[in-house]
């Protein structure tokens, strides 16, 4: 139960951070979306054995967090959650790709190990960049810009509703977990044999809650179209900031900054 409350609080905290007034928060949402998109494409486009060229991209994460005043613990605790999903893919590379790459103090480092580190680093960088976007831009602004980019409305609504009501799902899971412990006071958690029934009940309760939310939206005139108020226009400073950051990201992709710095040192 404490873990569920912590997860819900973290989601709400990111949404609260989007209302701050830092230099990054003042940038136009479209600029932040563009920069994040370029950053993700640049990171993902590296080959599976790239590790050194990815390291300079950590500077972007550090600078953005410092300028936006985002707590490091909050962001990285959320980013680490995504690592287990990449862990299994990375482990399979270690198992099947055993070709030696180089020796490190007598230990043979294989290409599988290098690709494992690369996958984990890419995951951490990409998730951190997206979390920074969420922590500096409200979901309403993100949805509005996606709508202006002609992203299908159903996808925009799905993204918005998922973000808004994930805390509701966690609340339902917390209520069920509390009820389970009250019926099994000697248990420290949910027994494995009860996990199927627990997950099934959570799904049923979620569908029921979703139907009630949908009917409430229909009663308020919802017709499948998400309406937004007119957002502010991007200024010259916004375009200049976007050009500088995108330019730096592209240069970091074209040139191996880590190798160049190593040669200079």
């Amino acid at each position: 139960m404490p873990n569920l409350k912590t997860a819900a609080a973290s989601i709400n905290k990111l949404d609260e951070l989007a209302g701050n007034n830092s230099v990054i928060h003042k940038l136009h949402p479209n600029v932040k979306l563009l920069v994040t998109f370029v950053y993700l494409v640049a990171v993902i486009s590296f080959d599976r054995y790239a590790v050194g060229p990815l390291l300079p991209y950590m500077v972007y994460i550090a600078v953005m967090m410092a300028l936006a005043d985002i707590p490091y613990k909050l962001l990285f605790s959320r980013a680490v959650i995504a690592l287990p999903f990449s862990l299994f893919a990375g482990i399979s590379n270690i198992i099947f790709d055993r070709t030696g790459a180089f020796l490190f103090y007598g230990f043979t480092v294989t290409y599988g190990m290098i690709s494992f580190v690369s996958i984990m680093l890419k995951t951490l960088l990409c998730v951190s960049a997206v979390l920074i976007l969420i922590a500096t831009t409200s979901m309403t602004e993100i949805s509005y810009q996606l709508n202006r980019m002609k992203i299908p409305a159903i996808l925009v609504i799905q993204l918005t509703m998922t973000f808004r009501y994930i805390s509701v799902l966690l609340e339902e899971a917390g209520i069920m977990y509390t009820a389970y412990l009250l019926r099994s006071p000697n248990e420290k958690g949910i027994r494995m044999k009860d996990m199927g029934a627990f997950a099934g009940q959570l799904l049923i309760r979620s569908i029921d809650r979703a139907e009630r939310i949908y009917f409430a939206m229909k009663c308020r005139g919802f017709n499948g179209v998400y309406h937004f108020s007119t957002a502010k226009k991007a200024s010259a400073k916004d375009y200049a900031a976007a050009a500088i950051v995108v330019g730096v990201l592209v240069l970091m992709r074209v040139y191996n900054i880590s190798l160049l710095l190593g040669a200079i040192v």
Side-chain angles (χ1 to χ4, degrees), residues 106-124:
F107 177 76
T108 301
V109 178
T110 65
Y111 282 105
M113 296 176 183
I114 296 175
S115 63
F116 170 79
V117 176
S118 178
I119 290 173
M120 301 299 287
L121 186 57
K122 285 181 180 179
T123 302
L124 183 62

Side-chain angles (χ1 to χ4, degrees), residues 30-39 42 57 60 238-254:
N30 210 16
V31 170
K32 288 179 277 189
L33 269 173
L34 173 63
V35 170
T36 303
F37 177 76
V38 173
Y39 181 88
Y57 285 88
Y60 169 85
D238 293 321
Y239 289 119
I244 293 173
V245 178
V246 169
V248 172
L249 293 176
V250 172
L251 286 175
M252 290 168 62
R253 179 61 185 89
V254 175

Side-chain angles (χ1 to χ4, degrees), residues 113-150:
M113 296 176 183
I114 296 175
S115 63
F116 170 79
V117 176
S118 178
I119 290 173
M120 301 299 287
L121 186 57
K122 285 181 180 179
T123 302
L124 183 62
L125 291 174
C126 291
V127 174
S128 298
V130 173
L131 289 176
I132 288 174
L133 174 64
I134 296 174
T136 57
T137 314
S138 68
M139 184 54 63
T140 301
E141 292 177 328
I142 294 175
S143 301
Y144 177 75
Q145 297 303 326
L146 291 176
N147 188 61
R148 289 186 60 193
M149 294 176 184
K150 305 303 179 181

Side-chain angles (χ1 to χ4, degrees), residues 216-224 227:
M217 293 171 65
K218 292 289 287 184
C219 289
R220 290 166 174 80
F222 179 73
N223 60 354
H227 298 281

Side-chain angles (χ1 to χ4, degrees), residues 8-36:
S10 297
I11 295 173
N12 294 331
K13 182 63 177 178
L14 286 174
D15 202 22
E16 292 174 5
L17 288 174
N20 288 351
N21 196 32
S22 69
V23 176
I24 305 301
H25 286 80
K26 292 179 181 178
L27 289 175
H28 194 271
N30 210 16
V31 170
K32 288 179 277 189
L33 269 173
L34 173 63
V35 170
T36 303

